[in-house]
Amino acid sequence: MATITLGGNTVHTSGTLPEIGSQAPDFKLTAVDLSTKTLNDFAGQNLVLNIFPSVDTGTCAQSMRTFNKEASALDNTKVLCISKDLPFAFARFCGAEGLDNVISLSDYKTGDFGTNYNLKFTDSVLETLLSRCIIVIDVKGKIIYTEQVPEISDEPNYKAALNALS
């Protein structure tokens, strides 16, 4: 279990992030067109998983904007923005913001992503939502970078995540 904070108050997750060098766990997530996406759908590409509680919070929204801006310059790389938000909320937000360089995916159906990647909150007002994390996966499906922010309202280290791909 990982311990982070929300406004200085302790919050726990279901475990620790997968280890660097390990094979990325598979997932089933829902895209904005309501199709199901799995890890295999992105085989042969680098992946930046931008994971957060909800697109309707300032820090989460900013992470989507930042990665959308940076993603257009990345070769053979997809940025997947993942939360438990409904696909309709993602579509609304990305449409209003003009974000088209990131792929929005929802873990609302089963919650298996949060469980398999050990980043689901297990207590507090955020219970069952996903903690703010960045996981970078290489073209072979290996995890090459992870970050779980220590205070949920903090932004991740975008530069470090993107530098893991170079």
Side-chain angles (χ1 to χ4, degrees), residues 16-93:
T16 57
L17 296 179
E19 290 188 30
I20 293 175
S22 67
Q23 192 68 32
D26 197 9
F27 55 74
K28 278 187 177 179
L29 296 166
T30 305
V32 294
D33 65 0
L34 302 181
S35 65
T36 299
K37 297 293 183 190
T38 67
L39 184 61
N40 205 35
D41 290 319
F42 303 100
Q45 297 175 47
N46 293 307
L47 298 176
V48 176
L49 308 184
N50 175 31
I51 307 153
F52 48 83
S54 175
V55 71
D56 288 320
T57 66
T59 306
C60 301
Q62 185 58 46
S63 72
M64 287 190 72
R65 289 183 198 106
T66 300
F67 276 120
N68 184 73
K69 180 179 175 186
E70 301 293 332
S72 62
L74 302 174
D75 291 332
N76 195 36
T77 301
K78 300 287 185 204
V79 176
L80 310 182
C81 295
I82 303 168
S83 77
K84 284 200 167 186
D85 287 306
L86 292 175
F88 314 114
F90 273 128
R92 172 190 43 78
F93 178 80

